[in-house]
Amino acid sequence: MNEFVEQLKNEFKERLISVGLHNVGVTSFINKNGVFIVLDRVEPEDLLAIKRIYKKFKKTYSTPLVVNERFFKDAADVFCMEMLEFKENGEILYGKNVLEDIDVNDENLRRQIEFELRSKLLNLKGAFIDLPLERRIVDNIAYRSMYNFLLILRNLLRLKGKLINDATLIEVFEETFGVSLEAFKILRDSEKLPFERLLEVFKGYLREVEQLVEISDKILS
């Protein structure tokens, strides 16, 4: 990472305001560390320059989030869960701490949780109907959606006064709300499953997401 930061500093000089990591907390066990880059402004030419630098580090870090300095504060009313994740689990590697002033309103958080749960459940159902039931596709749908649902679990617990920062998140959620999330735990703990087993787990995953919608109806109303 030091080499990555040094190349960014050489490219952008005083225009580089901050570089940091995200997804270093509760979700890091299923997602490689992401990188955020804060510039004074973001032009298409800047993205091309970052693309050239990032190419060498592509196997280590996910696609960089490239923003201006106001992004984190301005986005806190619509990307509430993500901004809280940045603030609580982000790590500044270089420059100004652009995360410390993030402020999330509880009512905005409630709205986002409800929207994300319902829209993602509809997307999962649509994908199950529309896409071929092939291993690569089911793998992709299930594992890619886990990050978003773990964020939702974390923030439903937040609204109950609990903040979980480690991989016990699912177990704490089960205990708090009196539900079973076996499919969630299998997907969390198993990188590869036989396809027939994966399909059965995915069916259970859909049922468990339905449970999350029911839980959210009770505590968000």
Side-chain angles (χ1 to χ4, degrees), residues 5-221:
V5 172
E6 288 303 315
Q7 290 189 33
L8 291 171
K9 287 164 65 178
N10 290 336
E11 176 69 32
F12 295 105
K13 300 180 173 55
E14 69 278 358
R15 292 188 55 213
L16 183 65
I17 295 170
S18 183
V19 182
L21 296 176
H22 60 94
N23 301 348
V24 295
V26 68
T27 54
S28 62
F29 61 91
I30 61 155
N31 221 38
K32 62 186 177 180
N33 284 337
V35 182
F36 63 86
I37 300 166
V38 183
L39 300 174
D40 59 344
R41 64 186 184 282
V42 181
E43 303 289 349
E45 292 80 6
D46 300 327
L47 299 179
L48 289 173
I50 290 170
K51 181 181 179 73
R52 290 192 298 270
I53 295 170
Y54 170 66
K55 186 176 181 180
K56 180 178 179 181
F57 303 90
K58 203 166 187 177
K59 291 183 178 179
T60 306
Y61 300 102
S62 58
T63 305
L65 174 68
V66 186
V67 297
N68 62 27
E69 187 174 354
R70 290 192 55 83
F71 172 81
F72 295 99
K73 186 174 181 180
D74 290 348
D77 60 339
V78 288
F79 295 135
C80 305
M81 293 187 291
E82 293 82 358
M83 293 302 104
L84 286 168
E85 191 80 354
F86 273 104
K87 183 175 183 177
E88 295 167 355
N89 295 315
E91 178 184 349
I92 301 296
L93 299 175
Y94 167 81
K96 181 178 179 180
N97 186 348
V98 294
L99 308 177
E100 60 184 350
D101 293 330
I102 292 173
D103 184 31
V104 171
N105 177 282
D106 281 352
E107 189 55 38
N108 289 335
L109 176 61
R110 289 170 182 271
R111 285 197 207 98
Q112 190 197 6
I113 289 173
E114 183 175 6
F115 173 79
E116 294 288 347
L117 263 177
R118 293 185 183 281
S119 61
K120 285 177 172 48
L121 176 59
L122 290 175
N123 288 338
L124 279 176
K125 289 178 177 178
F128 194 68
I129 292 170
D130 190 49
L131 297 176
L133 290 181
E134 299 172 358
R135 177 184 190 85
R136 177 182 59 82
I137 292 172
V138 178
D139 257 347
N140 191 46
I141 295 170
Y143 288 103
R144 283 176 66 98
S145 65
M146 275 288 285
Y147 171 72
N148 294 299
F149 285 118
L150 289 177
L151 273 181
I152 290 170
L153 296 187
R154 173 176 163 82
N155 284 282
L156 284 169
L157 282 170
R158 183 194 300 278
L159 293 174
K160 296 287 283 186
K162 297 182 180 182
L163 188 59
I164 307 302
N165 267 322
D166 57 46
T168 65
L169 172 65
I170 297 174
E171 285 79 6
V172 174
F173 190 92
E174 288 178 315
E175 181 180 354
T176 301
F177 290 100
V179 295
S180 174
L181 298 178
E182 287 303 313
F184 271 77
K185 290 187 288 189
I186 292 169
L187 290 173
R188 178 194 66 188
D189 298 335
S190 307
E191 290 187 5
K192 287 292 182 182
L193 295 167
F195 180 66
E196 290 303 319
R197 174 63 173 151
L198 175 63
L199 199 54
E200 287 304 309
V201 170
F202 187 71
K203 292 176 186 176
Y205 185 54
L206 284 172
R207 287 191 288 267
E208 290 171 9
V209 174
E210 292 269 18
Q211 284 188 82
L212 296 183
V213 172
E214 293 174 7
I215 290 170
S216 73
D217 282 342
K218 293 177 183 177
I219 72 168
L220 299 179
S221 60

